Amino acid sequence: MTTAFRRSLLQGIALGAGALLLSGSALAQQAEPQTEPPAEASAAPVVKGPQVSLKTTKGEIVLQLDEEKAPKTVANFMQYVKQDFYKGTIFHRVIDGFMIQAGGMNEKFEGRKTNKPVKNESNNGLSNQPYTVAMAREDHPDSATSQFFINVADNSGIDYPNYKGSGYTVFGKVVKGQDVVDKIKGVVVDDVRGMQNVPVVPIFIKSVTVLKGDKLVK
């Protein structure tokens, strides 16, 4: 990877008229590789929170939200879900090796009126690991509104407190559709209307629904 390309990748995640700013030093602080074999794996803990299905033009992605670790963030996201806010929005920024971002613009790059920003909850013990979902925001920690991103790499460099004493709030994970995330991260992107890393063929969110009963992913 060239220095120029890496610098471009680390410049930030566009958030409407503002920017989600990520420093190169923050992203460079990745977790050290494990040198000892892990202890015997135990059963995964049950996560308390709703499951949400994102039906996209690339397939379905199901998110398990963690309302115990990120109650304000989950409540904020669910408010947009109940408002049907995300229908017709696109994945407007895709960086393979980093993340895929959505939740704020239509195919004409027109933003939508958002609710009040949510308080940052990045100090919740959750890490920006592959297939986790986190909130996009501007430089101020408490500026996240509707936009979110799905990590496609170990991005622990943006965990609390690696970015100016704060971080980017993880509030759930992908429990179905990891293959769809992989499809999206690999699409062809270009610069469009001053925005970088925009998929050449728009990827739409067609619907967002809350799963219940036998529809839940076990």
Side-chain angles (χ1 to χ4, degrees):
M1 182 180 295
T2 67
T3 301
F5 178 76
R6 181 170 179 79
R7 185 182 302 115
S8 174
L9 184 151
L10 299 178
Q11 281 178 344
I13 301 174
L15 175 55
L20 171 62
L21 303 177
L22 305 178
S23 68
S25 59
L27 283 180
Q29 296 172 12
Q30 304 296 336
E32 292 295 327
Q34 191 169 332
T35 56
E36 297 181 2
E40 185 176 350
S42 57
V46 176
V47 176
K48 179 183 177 183
Q51 285 188 5
V52 176
S53 166
L54 308 178
K55 289 188 177 177
T56 80
T57 48
K58 287 291 186 180
E60 182 186 27
I61 300 169
V62 177
L63 304 176
Q64 171 66 65
L65 308 186
D66 193 333
E67 63 184 12
E68 185 173 27
K69 295 289 184 68
K72 293 182 175 64
T73 307
V74 170
N76 172 73
F77 185 83
M78 291 304 296
Q79 187 175 17
Y80 287 107
V81 171
K82 291 173 183 177
Q83 293 170 344
D84 210 18
F85 180 94
Y86 294 122
K87 182 178 180 180
T89 58
I90 61 170
F91 282 85
H92 63 271
R93 195 162 193 222
V94 170
I95 304 177
D96 194 0
F98 186 19
M99 57 87 230
I100 61 176
Q101 186 177 349
M105 300 180 186
N106 62 21
E107 76 278 14
K108 296 179 180 178
F109 302 98
E110 297 168 336
R112 299 183 174 185
K113 182 176 175 58
T114 59
N115 303 321
K116 292 181 180 179
V118 63
K119 184 173 177 59
N120 186 282
E121 295 180 302
S122 60
N123 187 16
N124 62 9
L126 299 178
S127 178
N128 285 273
Q129 294 299 307
Y131 306 112
T132 58
V133 59
M135 292 305 298
R137 62 173 174 84
E138 297 181 16
D139 196 32
H140 191 284
D142 301 332
S143 59
T145 54
S146 67
Q147 292 193 33
F148 60 93
F149 61 95
I150 298 173
N151 290 287
V152 299
D154 177 354
N155 293 326
S156 53
I158 59 174
D159 291 347
Y160 176 91
N162 294 334
Y163 182 68
K164 297 184 179 180
S166 186
Y168 294 86
T169 304
V170 174
F171 64 100
K173 62 182 179 180
V174 177
V175 291
K176 178 183 176 182
Q178 290 92 341
D179 59 326
V180 177
V181 173
D182 291 345
K183 288 178 186 177
I184 295 173
K185 76 177 184 180
V187 300
V188 177
V189 297
D190 202 351
D191 296 348
V192 180
R193 299 185 188 180
M195 295 181 60
Q196 297 179 324
N197 308 111
V198 179
V200 171
V201 178
I203 303 167
F204 290 90
I205 295 177
K206 300 191 292 183
S207 66
V208 181
T209 55
V210 180
L211 300 182
K212 295 181 179 180
D214 60 0
K215 300 295 184 181
L216 290 167
V217 176
K218 305 298 184 182

